[in-house]
Amino acid sequence: MDEQTAPPTTRRQARQAAAGPAKPDHFLPHIQGLRAIAVLLVVVYHFWPGRLSGGYIGVDVFFVISGFLITQQLTRQLERTDRIALPSFYAKRARRLLPAAIVVLVFASLATLFIMPLSSLTENVREILASTFYVENWTLALNSVDYLAAANEPSLVQHYWSLSLEEQFYLFWPVLLLGASVFAVKVMKRRKWVGLIAVLAVVGVASFALSIFFTATDPASAYFVTYTRVWEFAVGGALALLPRLRPTRAWQSNILGYGGIAVVLACGYFFTASTPFPGYMAAIPVLGTAAIIVSHHREKPWDAGRVLSIRPVSFIGDISYSLYLWHWPLIIIAPYVPGWGLSTLNRVALFLFCFVIAWLTKRFIEDPARRWRFFVGRRPRVTMIGVVAAMAVSSLFVGAAWAVQQPKYDAEASQLASTLANPPDCFGAASGPTNGLTAVPAPCVNPALDGQIIPSPGFGNADRPEHPECLSTLNDATVRDCQFGSTAADAPQVALIGDSHAYALMDPFIAMAEKNGWHLTTYLKGGCPWTATPMTGSDAFSQSCDTWRASLTEQLSAHTPFGAVFTAALVDRATASTSAEADTVAAGYTGAWQQVLGAGTPIVTIVDNPSWSDDPNKCLRTSAESSCTEPRSDALPAFDPLAIAASGAAAQGQPVTLLDFSSTYCSDTTCPAVIGGANVYRDPDHLTRTFAFTLEPFLSTAIASALAR
């Protein structure tokens, strides 16, 4: 009997079987539209962060959706059976989420092996492993990565932090709900729903309080850790446990639906990297999401629930998981693909390609894996064995990438050390045309360096200072006074003070101290220059910077006067874009310096190096060296407050020396990425350790002159 002659019911069943599993009766179509909003916020934010600065709130939308759907699913099971089949629940979640996730992780391992630069090897291997076992959020938190800071060099799978957090929620939430229901019935002698609502309220309120506290005190970690995000899932859970919260009339549903959409989209547009997040500000998009979830009316074409259910929107919602998985590694890889990059046209093409590969993944990996009879027809432990096997496969691929690439990494590091031990003539800053104080009559040229790039573009990002423990980062207000060089009582005392641009020169200063018999003390904090001007923000970083400066002032007062102090700082163009603003910032430097100048200590400082719009190593990997330049007018700031302060102090007869290598970094029109065979930058504005060492002879002369005053 074929389909045409079969009874209507049989034909309908046949069509449904061919199309895949039918949607359950409790399926809410508008949730797919909400998923579409969430994933588009995240993807557009990652493709065009300047256009949608708050798109990161898309993951919070996903958290609320997950809290609602999972709690709804678990409570239905509790209502029917008074129990939760934990093995079956975990097996279903694994079949739903793991196959596509592992495929992308294997792809990331292959990209680490064949496409990504060696400098990213350690981060990619560590985070692919962490993502395989769903602990990526804790890995990032422990490494204090600021997810919203564009200066960080992200791994291929950094976006797995949210998936890791969701999996952790899936692990403990069913156990928590089951325990709460049992406790309510057997101990409290009350209905299980009392226990469920009570535990949801306690966990949600506690998590929200922790989120506010840690966002204020440790925002980098607070962004990733589980306990600051659980309340968002709890809000979704409350909607599932309290159906009376849902509107009964269409007009109420539409007000909440369209109002929620407006709130979520407004947060995506108006929130920025400086918004305290997740904290109390996360409540805005979370409540907006909750309003959309309860707006389920869809009878009329204009109903919010109906609009969110139209096919194009639902399609994006259907592929949202795979779209989220694929978009980030493709963005990270693109700049390293020869002839591709991320120009406007290429960016749009890659954006569209993400939808294609997401649909293919949904069609041929996600859906078949959920219905694979080998697992569906067997006990949950068979699926869990498959989970272990899939994780082993991912671990095997990333292990292979590590085994192949690590010897190359070590070889690059060894070659670099050899170059620094015996630098070639005219290497780096030695090529001139300045020694930092005056022009060199005849710039140095070494034909043997033509075409040389040391360190290689694939290793440039890893060429960083060797003492990270001496740099106070992010919200760390501790003054880390590291000591190097001579320990003799009569050794000349030299201090290195400043932000990460001073830290970039740390290793040459250590070498100078050891070579010249100086005693070097370093006081360094990222993003926090040595100035008397308080930070304008009230966030945790601003507070830590002000605290660090106050502690530094106390330590300098208690210390025997130094023989010389060197300081450097990044030019913050946001606060020094005009001459008047630059003069104001310069006054802060002058104010801070008076403490040591008053004690008779000379100061040596330096004009800031150029800043690039993007990491020049990406350009060097895919283009000719001559093409990798930045216009001088863009790379060098119009006003350098530190230079203004130094020039003003020197004009008043104070012992302040200003070194200026601008003519070494740049010609009259452009700034190259390679100077005298040396790769200058390890990211858009920090010098490679190698190039910093080529400045050593000039820095040493300036410090020696200051000590002789």
Side-chain angles (χ1 to χ4, degrees):
M1 184 169 57
D2 60 26
E3 183 178 338
Q4 296 302 319
T5 59
T9 302
T10 305
R11 291 200 300 268
R12 183 167 60 252
Q13 291 173 342
R15 287 193 299 270
Q16 290 175 346
K23 302 294 186 184
D25 293 337
H26 51 268
F27 177 74
L28 299 175
H30 75 290
I31 295 294
Q32 294 303 87
L34 183 54
R35 280 195 172 113
I37 292 175
V39 77
L40 287 176
L41 283 170
V42 174
V43 173
V44 173
Y45 166 63
H46 286 152
F47 268 92
W48 295 279
R51 302 294 179 88
L52 197 65
S53 59
Y56 54 84
I57 62 105
V59 295
D60 302 88
V61 176
F62 278 124
F63 292 159
V64 180
I65 294 173
S66 294
F68 171 73
L69 294 177
I70 295 303
T71 304
Q72 189 181 62
Q73 175 184 338
L74 295 172
T75 52
R76 279 197 306 270
Q77 191 174 146
L78 270 174
E79 189 173 11
R80 291 195 311 267
T81 65
D82 283 329
R83 60 188 293 271
I84 294 176
L86 293 176
S88 178
F89 172 80
Y90 294 141
K92 288 179 180 178
R93 297 280 43 169
R95 291 195 297 268
R96 166 70 180 89
L97 300 173
L98 192 65
I102 293 295
V103 167
V104 175
L105 289 175
V106 169
F107 170 80
S109 296
L110 294 175
T112 299
L113 180 59
F114 295 111
I115 301 176
M116 296 301 291
L118 280 174
S119 58
S120 68
L121 177 66
T122 301
E123 288 78 8
N124 278 324
V125 168
R126 180 184 65 233
E127 294 186 26
I128 290 171
L129 278 174
S131 298
T132 297
F133 297 99
Y134 289 102
V135 291
E136 170 69 349
N137 61 319
W138 287 99
T139 298
L140 295 178
L142 291 174
N143 285 278
S144 296
V145 174
D146 186 351
Y147 187 67
L148 306 181
N152 286 317
E153 190 66 26
S155 76
L156 287 165
V157 295
Q158 184 168 297
H159 65 314
Y160 269 67
W161 75 267
S162 63
L163 304 179
S164 298
L165 199 152
E166 286 212 30
E167 287 299 322
Q168 292 156 25
F169 168 77
Y170 296 149
L171 281 176
F172 76 80
W173 196 246
V175 177
L176 194 64
L177 294 183
L178 182 60
S181 66
V182 172
F183 181 80
V185 172
K186 293 188 175 182
V187 179
M188 299 175 63
K189 306 300 181 182
R190 295 178 180 274
R191 297 180 63 181
K192 57 179 173 286
W193 306 112
V194 175
L196 294 177
I197 294 170
V199 74
L200 184 144
V202 170
V203 170
V205 171
S207 173
F208 186 57
L210 289 172
S211 182
I212 293 173
F213 176 77
F214 284 105
T215 299
T217 58
D218 190 9
S221 295
Y223 194 87
F224 299 108
V225 294
T226 310
Y227 51 78
T228 61
R229 298 284 191 161
V230 170
W231 68 273
E232 301 180 21
F233 294 94
V235 169
L239 301 179
L241 288 175
L242 302 171
R244 291 183 179 179
L245 293 177
R246 304 172 203 174
T248 57
R249 299 188 178 184
W251 67 268
Q252 297 170 332
S253 177
N254 286 331
I255 288 177
L256 288 172
Y258 286 116
I261 293 171
V263 167
V264 169
L265 294 180
C267 290
Y269 185 80
F270 290 107
F271 280 17
T272 67
S274 61
T275 302
F277 210 86
Y280 62 89
M281 291 298 288
I284 302 175
V286 164
L287 293 177
T289 302
I292 299 172
I293 289 175
V294 300
S295 62
H296 59 282
H297 280 270
R298 52 191 305 271
E299 287 77 16
K300 304 295 183 181
W302 56 81
D303 285 340
R306 183 76 167 270
V307 172
L308 289 173
S309 305
I310 60 176
R311 186 55 195 151
V313 178
S314 294
F315 170 75
I316 297 174
D318 290 342
I319 66 170
S320 60
Y321 178 60
S322 290
L323 181 58
Y324 183 84
L325 288 175
W326 279 111
H327 84 281
W328 181 257
L330 294 177
I331 290 173
I332 298 301
I333 289 170
Y336 300 104
V337 177
W340 185 258
L342 278 177
S343 64
T344 300
L345 183 60
N346 289 352
R347 199 177 293 259
V348 172
L350 185 62
F351 179 79
L352 297 176
F353 176 72
C354 287
F355 287 82
V356 175
I357 196 170
W359 175 78
L360 292 172
T361 304
K362 175 75 163 53
R363 175 70 176 81
F364 296 105
I365 297 175
E366 280 191 64
D367 291 343
R370 281 191 289 177
R371 303 194 298 267
W372 196 6
R373 291 185 179 179
F374 180 82
F375 291 114
V376 175
R378 287 174 168 80
R379 293 182 179 275
R381 63 171 172 262
V382 177
T383 295
M384 302 320 293
I385 293 173
V387 168
V388 173
M391 290 179 168
V393 169
S394 178
S395 301
L396 181 64
F397 270 87
V398 73
W402 172 265
V404 173
Q405 295 294 78
Q406 185 61 33
K408 299 178 184 179
Y409 187 101
D410 293 339
E412 285 265 10
S414 177
Q415 181 185 31
L416 199 55
S418 176
T419 300
L420 289 176
N422 297 287
D425 293 337
C426 311
F427 183 56
S431 63
T434 177
N435 61 9
L437 291 172
T438 60
V440 177
C444 185
V445 178
N446 183 352
L449 292 174
D450 288 347
Q452 294 289 312
I453 304 177
I454 306 172
S456 69
F459 199 72
N461 299 122
D463 192 24
R464 62 192 69 182
E466 292 185 342
H467 295 275
E469 73 279 1
C470 296
L471 177 69
S472 299
T473 59
L474 293 173
N475 306 315
D476 183 3
T478 305
V479 176
R480 303 177 182 275
D481 53 339
C482 292
Q483 313 288 324
F484 302 95
S486 175
T487 58
D490 60 347
Q493 299 283 319
V494 177
L496 174 63
I497 306 175
D499 61 10
S500 60
H501 279 215
Y503 173 64
L505 301 172
M506 180 178 179
D507 286 357
F509 265 88
I510 294 173
M512 287 187 282
E514 294 172 347
K515 185 186 303 182
N516 297 307
W518 303 337
H519 181 83
L520 174 67
T521 305
T522 65
Y523 304 101
L524 303 164
K525 177 171 172 59
C528 189
W530 182 32
T531 173
T533 303
M535 298 289 284
T536 56
S538 59
D539 57 286
F541 169 73
S542 298
Q543 294 173 8
S544 73
C545 184
D546 287 337
T547 301
W548 182 86
R549 288 170 179 163
S551 299
L552 172 63
T553 298
E554 293 177 2
Q555 291 205 24
L556 292 176
S557 297
H559 198 283
T560 302
F562 288 96
V565 169
F566 183 92
T567 185
L570 167 72
V571 175
D572 184 354
R573 303 191 187 199
T575 60
S577 59
T578 67
S579 177
E581 290 176 344
D583 288 341
T584 300
V585 178
Y589 289 121
T590 303
W593 296 349
Q594 295 311 308
Q595 181 181 10
V596 298
L597 291 173
T601 301
I603 290 178
V604 180
T605 188
I606 191 169
V607 174
D608 194 26
N609 57 262
S611 294
W612 289 55
S613 57
D614 197 6
D615 180 4
N617 286 282
K618 295 178 181 178
C619 177
L620 290 172
R621 275 180 57 85
T622 58
S623 305
E625 175 190 327
S626 58
S627 302
C628 299
T629 62
E630 189 84 350
R632 179 178 177 127
S633 58
D634 295 336
L636 289 174
F639 307 100
D640 187 330
L642 192 144
I644 294 171
S647 299
Q652 295 175 7
Q654 293 182 307
V656 177
T657 301
L658 177 65
L659 300 176
D660 187 354
F661 293 95
S662 297
S663 295
T664 295
Y665 291 121
C666 306
S667 68
D668 291 340
T669 57
T670 61
C671 303
V674 180
I675 297 173
N679 188 345
V680 183
Y681 307 95
R682 65 178 174 87
D683 61 25
D685 64 86
H686 291 96
L687 301 177
T688 60
R689 182 173 180 268
T690 298
F691 188 84
F693 265 104
T694 70
L695 294 170
E696 179 190 339
F698 313 118
L699 298 173
S700 181
T701 299
I703 296 297
S705 298
L707 290 171
R709 287 198 179 193

